[in-house]
Amino acid sequence: MKFIGSAAKTVFYLKKIQGQYPSWRLQYKIKCKSTEIELTNLIRNSQIKRNQPVAIIAREQLSGFGQNSKTWVSPEGGIWLSAAYPIFSKEFISQIFNLSIGIKICEMLRQENINVSLKWPNDIFFGSKKLIGFLPRVITRGKEIIYVRIGLGMNILNYTPSEGISLSKVLQTKNINQHYWTAKVLKALHDSIECNNKKEYVIKSANKFLTKSFLPNGYCPHTWKIKDIDSNGNLRIQNETQLKVIGRF
């Protein structure tokens, strides 16, 4: 497939970063309501093919949504994308998929000397502020997983709410190449698929990157503390008398 414009620039960096990268099918939107809606429409009209993941990338997203349908502020200057990655397997471990994405993004950023952490189940934090959020889903047919979907937002040069932080503030520069970072994110998504069969490594890495500063909603930090992530990808919290296991769903 011939790429032009923004897609071509991202593919250029993807080749430099990854070499033999999967044959991504990329579409850029100047502005859209939601990349999730755009991806759904694309998949409805075009069959998912083996070895050809798809990503819709928007410069600006008007009505993005995240976990529990929360509003996803997506102004110009960030990376807003939705991807579908073909799996076609019964062996894919869906319970740790969010963790495999999280650890690969953490590894990617730490290689750039950006000291991030994983906020269970699907956020990447720099200090006390959110840098990246992602929303993974698994699409099945019977017992076979056909493909996975990932919605992702990364603050780069954009305005952020008080609870967020942009990469430009982290690095203290506005000289940031968004196409380079988009390619880095796509590589991390690919790597998260590749490591899915290494459950022990994923859980161990997730615990290494896990921040214990943010309890799930509804739990008092004066009473409860985060213990760890268990072997099934669940978060374990404890107080003086109880150990509680919290699933992602």
Side-chain angles (χ1 to χ4, degrees), residues 155-194:
N155 299 318
I156 301 289
L157 293 159
N158 55 292
Y159 160 80
T160 65
S162 59
E163 64 271 17
I165 191 169
S166 65
L167 189 63
S168 63
K169 286 190 176 180
V170 172
L171 299 177
Q172 298 183 339
T173 180
K174 291 187 176 182
N175 185 24
I176 296 176
N177 188 317
Q178 286 183 254
H179 301 291
Y180 169 79
W181 282 101
T182 302
K184 294 277 282 186
V185 166
L186 292 174
K187 181 183 185 303
L189 296 184
H190 166 73
D191 291 346
S192 72
I193 304 295
E194 292 293 296

Side-chain angles (χ1 to χ4, degrees), residues 99-109 111 184 187-195 201 209:
L99 299 179
S100 62
I101 296 172
I103 67 170
K104 286 303 175 183
I105 292 175
C106 285
E107 287 177 359
M108 175 264 285
L109 288 164
Q111 287 169 3
K184 294 277 282 186
K187 181 183 185 303
L189 296 184
H190 166 73
D191 291 346
S192 72
I193 304 295
E194 292 293 296
C195 76
Y201 155 73
F209 294 129

Side-chain angles (χ1 to χ4, degrees), residues 32-175:
C32 69
K33 184 175 180 181
S34 164
T35 57
E36 283 293 295
I37 294 172
E38 295 287 338
L39 181 63
T40 296
N41 291 337
L42 180 66
I43 292 171
R44 185 181 295 126
N45 298 317
S46 176
Q47 188 176 8
I48 290 287
K49 297 179 181 178
R50 294 179 186 271
N51 303 315
Q52 191 182 61
V54 178
I56 307 287
I57 304 159
R59 183 179 296 177
E60 183 179 359
Q61 193 176 218
L62 301 177
S63 302
F65 56 90
Q67 188 79 11
N68 300 319
S69 299
K70 291 181 181 177
T71 299
W72 196 329
V73 179
S74 315
E76 186 174 346
I79 294 172
W80 322 115
L81 67 81
S82 293
Y85 205 107
I87 302 296
F88 295 101
S89 172
K90 295 179 181 179
E91 309 302 321
F92 192 82
I93 310 172
S94 59
Q95 295 92 334
I96 64 166
F97 180 43
N98 63 305
L99 299 179
S100 62
I101 296 172
I103 67 170
K104 286 303 175 183
I105 292 175
C106 285
E107 287 177 359
M108 175 264 285
L109 288 164
R110 289 197 175 195
Q111 287 169 3
E112 301 272 354
N113 297 314
I114 302 169
N115 191 26
V116 293
S117 58
L118 171 65
K119 178 180 176 288
W120 185 93
N122 51 0
D123 290 321
I124 306 298
F125 269 51
F126 179 82
S128 62
K129 294 184 179 292
K130 182 175 175 177
L131 179 64
I132 298 174
F134 56 93
L135 188 62
R137 287 191 285 159
V138 174
I139 311 301
T140 62
R141 182 174 60 202
K143 294 183 178 180
E144 184 180 40
I145 294 175
I146 305 302
Y147 64 95
V148 293
R149 290 182 61 147
I150 310 103
L152 181 142
M154 179 175 180
N155 299 318
I156 301 289
L157 293 159
N158 55 292
Y159 160 80
T160 65
S162 59
E163 64 271 17
I165 191 169
S166 65
L167 189 63
S168 63
K169 286 190 176 180
V170 172
L171 299 177
Q172 298 183 339
T173 180
K174 291 187 176 182
N175 185 24

